[in-house]
Amino acid sequence: SKMIEIAKKKMTERRIENICFEQSTIFNEDIAIESFDVALAFNMLHLMRDGQLAIQRIYEILRPGGVFISDTVCLGEGRSFLSIPILLLSKIGLIPDVIRYEATDIEAMITEGQFHIVEAARFSQRPPNYFVVAKKE
């Protein structure tokens, strides 16, 4: 909600009127099929028990030609200084469980979700992450 407040402020400052912001769960049944042009999933997929299900839902709510942009921490790739603290914090319940994806896992989920990957890159190695731009044909 705080990010939406910031975005609305910037929208007003820049006199932009054709944007709508909503806060919801991806599985909200009130979200109409093919109703969005863009879906962002930043630092989210590794926290979901079923990332594939989330990607399928994103595919459903995007219009044809819609864009899905994801940035996911990939703790399954090599050693990260965050791996042990994250594991310990999740075991004692202070943070949610973290799925230890590799970049190939993210690519597979996205392409199995019928998206076409337009661009993919690693922008950070600490922690390792994977940035993907994909399109619904």
Side-chain angles (χ1 to χ4, degrees), residues 3-137:
M3 294 300 290
I4 290 175
E5 287 175 26
I6 293 168
K8 285 181 177 180
K9 181 180 177 192
K10 289 182 179 188
M11 184 180 81
T12 302
E13 289 170 356
R14 295 175 184 166
R15 296 186 176 101
I16 299 171
E17 298 177 4
N18 63 344
I19 298 176
C20 174
F21 298 99
E22 293 183 31
Q23 180 180 350
S24 177
T25 171
I26 190 72
F27 300 107
N28 181 339
E29 293 178 9
D30 292 336
I31 298 174
I33 302 297
E34 296 186 348
S35 59
F36 288 90
D37 296 313
V38 179
L40 304 174
F42 287 2
N43 299 309
M44 180 194 87
L45 291 175
H46 61 284
L47 299 175
M48 302 190 76
R49 293 200 194 290
D50 193 341
Q52 187 68 54
L53 184 61
I55 290 171
Q56 288 171 351
R57 177 64 175 151
I58 289 167
Y59 187 87
E60 289 175 359
I61 66 171
L62 282 175
R63 293 182 177 106
V67 176
F68 170 48
I69 304 171
S70 171
D71 189 23
T72 306
V73 174
C74 294
L75 293 177
E77 292 188 355
R79 295 187 179 264
S80 170
F81 69 97
L82 291 176
S83 295
I84 293 173
I86 286 173
L87 178 64
L88 292 173
L89 291 171
S90 66
K91 291 292 182 199
I92 60 175
L94 290 178
I95 63 171
D97 288 335
V98 176
I99 309 300
R100 297 177 54 85
Y101 287 124
E102 294 183 13
T104 55
D105 300 324
I106 302 300
E107 278 188 9
M109 284 194 304
I110 291 172
T111 56
E112 287 171 15
Q114 302 177 350
F115 283 99
H116 168 71
I117 295 178
V118 176
E119 186 173 343
R122 287 180 174 85
F123 291 123
S124 171
Q125 292 302 322
R126 300 193 99 196
N129 76 331
Y130 198 54
F131 178 84
V132 178
V133 177
K135 189 172 184 180
K136 177 180 178 176
E137 300 297 333

